[in-house]
């Protein structure tokens, strides 16, 4: 029985978020430059997307470039931006054919012009698609997103269009860049690192966390199925006790 067959397709996470990590270490192991690892990582994005499509996942959010990643050597940052532009322009036809809808979270205005244009084009071309939503976190950091939201909410209060009593969990969630996207039930991080690195801090309040030693360029369809199977073996209690959860079944 394949791992996919073992998955209960009626109980797959609606949203999986992935911190794609380990490209540099993978390249080093091969005696190659870091950019070779990033290039190879594109194949793993295809694998993860294919697995999401086959296992009923509706939203796949990929952490592709963090606000902190600007601090990397200039050559690597430029290489990553070029890779982004080329990958999106090469893949957008295929993604469109397979009904994938591309969106982004993060500060697009802070990206080089050609990157932003490519993303906006991909977004426009795929916006009516109804298959998997591929959400690319680009120039993203959760603290940035939360601060932007706080500023916008504070301005609404100042202008008198919002009453402070109306600021609740739902209002805050709908003011984030992930508005309309359900919170991820499952967050995966590759490469054996056990940290969140400024990713979706609000949205993962109750996510199941899954860490794997696999380096991102080695990540295959099968690895996503393993993560989903592991997720399905867990009990999500949301502050309650086991007996209450069992009664609801
Ligand atoms: C993840 O791989 C890709 C990005 C952060 C853009 P890394 O480049 O962080 O790889 P390691 O962690 O150095 O191995
Ligand atoms: C997190 O990976 C960011 C992305 C995957 C885009 P990093 O490799 O940059 O994270 P840290 O710096 O090791 O925490
Ligand atoms: Mg890393």
């Amino acid at each position: 029985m394949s791992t996919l067959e073992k998955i209960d397709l009626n109980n797959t996470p609606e949203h999986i978020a992935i911190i794609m990590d380990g490209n540099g270490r993978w390249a080093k192991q091969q005696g190659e430059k870091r950019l070779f690892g990033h290039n190879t990582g594109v194949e793993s994005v295809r694998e993860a997307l294919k697995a999401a499509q086959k296992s009923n996942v509706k939203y796949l959010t990929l952490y592709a470039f963090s606000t902190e990643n600007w601090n990397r050597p200039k050559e690597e940052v430029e290489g990553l931006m070029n890779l982004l532009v080329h990958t999106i322009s090469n893949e957008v036809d295929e993604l469109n054919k397979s009904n994938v809808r591309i969106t982004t979270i993060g500060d697009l205005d802070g990206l080089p012009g050609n990157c932003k244009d490519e993303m906006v084009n991909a977004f426009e071309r795929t916006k009516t698609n109804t298959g998997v939503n591929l959400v690319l976190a680009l120039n993203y950091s959760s603290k940035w997103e939360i601060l932007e939201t706080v500023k916008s909410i504070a301005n609404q209060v100042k202008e008198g269009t919002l009453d402070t009593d109306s600021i609740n969990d739902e209002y805050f969630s709908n003011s984030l860049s992930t508005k309309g996207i359900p919170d991820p039930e499952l967050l995966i991080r590759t490469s054996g690192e056990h940290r969140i690195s400024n990713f979706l801090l609000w949205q993962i309040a109750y996510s199941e966390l899954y860490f794997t030693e696999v380096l991102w360029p080695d990540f295959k369809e099968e690895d996503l199925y393993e993560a989903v199977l592991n997720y399905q073996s867990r009990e999500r209690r949301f502050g309650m006790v086991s007996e209450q959860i069992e009664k609801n079944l």
Side-chain angles (χ1 to χ4, degrees):
M1 205 186 200
S2 73
T3 317
L4 176 57
E5 283 168 337
K6 288 186 203 152
I7 290 175
D8 172 3
L9 290 177
N10 296 315
N11 182 32
T12 42
E14 189 181 11
H15 182 180
I16 297 180
I18 308 182
I19 303 174
M20 311 182 287
D21 199 12
N23 294 350
R25 277 163 284 166
W26 184 88
K28 201 170 177 189
Q29 281 176 7
Q30 318 284 314
E32 298 280 354
K33 293 211 166 125
R34 296 179 58 84
L35 275 174
F36 181 66
H38 297 314
N39 279 308
T40 311
V42 175
E43 186 50 45
S44 301
V45 171
R46 290 193 198 98
E47 292 276 327
L49 182 61
K50 238 188 299 167
Q53 287 167 324
K54 289 188 197 168
S55 58
N56 271 349
V57 173
K58 285 300 287 176
Y59 295 86
L60 181 67
T61 299
L62 302 177
Y63 203 5
F65 193 87
S66 75
T67 311
E68 288 79 16
N69 288 147
W70 292 112
N71 297 323
R72 292 193 177 195
K74 190 166 169 265
E75 184 190 87
E76 181 168 350
V77 171
E78 279 174 9
L80 279 166
M81 291 300 144
N82 286 334
L83 179 64
L84 187 68
V85 171
H86 289 123
T87 306
I88 295 294
S89 77
N90 288 341
E91 304 277 330
V92 70
D93 279 343
E94 204 51 49
L95 290 169
N96 197 23
K97 267 189 226 150
S98 55
N99 203 18
V100 171
R101 182 174 172 211
I102 303 171
T103 52
T104 59
I105 53 172
D107 186 6
L108 277 197
D109 288 332
L111 291 175
N114 59 340
C115 261
K116 185 182 168 184
D117 293 347
E118 211 51 74
M119 287 318 307
V120 171
N121 173 49
F123 170 72
E124 284 298 326
R125 282 196 53 197
T126 61
K127 68 180 176 193
T128 57
N129 290 348
T130 54
V132 172
N133 289 274
L134 180 63
V135 184
L136 299 175
L138 288 172
N139 195 16
Y140 175 87
S141 91
S142 190
K143 284 189 172 181
W144 164 81
E145 177 185 42
I146 290 171
L147 284 174
E148 287 299 306
T149 301
V150 169
K151 281 189 243 173
S152 136
I153 289 179
N155 275 329
Q156 291 165 53
V157 173
K158 195 166 98 185
E159 285 159 11
T161 54
L162 178 67
D163 189 88
T164 44
D165 289 338
S166 310
I167 307 168
N168 54 20
D169 186 331
E170 192 190 353
Y171 193 85
F172 197 85
S173 292
N174 284 332
S175 306
L176 291 166
S177 63
T178 48
K179 177 183 181 340
I181 302 175
D183 289 342
E185 294 93 332
L186 175 63
L187 172 73
I188 300 172
R189 183 169 190 148
T190 59
S191 87
E193 304 295 357
H194 293 186
R195 57 177 172 265
I196 303 299
S197 303
N198 216 347
F199 192 41
L200 302 175
L201 298 175
W202 172 274
Q203 297 88 339
I204 61 167
Y206 257 109
S207 301
E208 296 297 326
L209 309 182
Y210 179 86
F211 299 102
T212 167
E213 294 294 319
V214 173
L215 300 174
W216 181 250
D218 285 330
F219 193 90
K220 299 279 176 288
E221 263 186 69
E222 195 63 19
D223 294 298
L224 192 123
Y225 301 143
E226 287 292 345
V228 171
L229 253 191
N230 183 290
Y231 163 85
Q232 291 185 338
S233 73
R234 301 183 190 188
E235 181 180 67
R236 306 187 74 205
R237 287 192 286 277
F238 301 100
M240 292 180 279
V241 299
S242 252
E243 288 71 17
Q244 291 171 291
I245 309 291
E246 281 158 18
K247 263 191 220 142
N248 284 337
L249 285 177

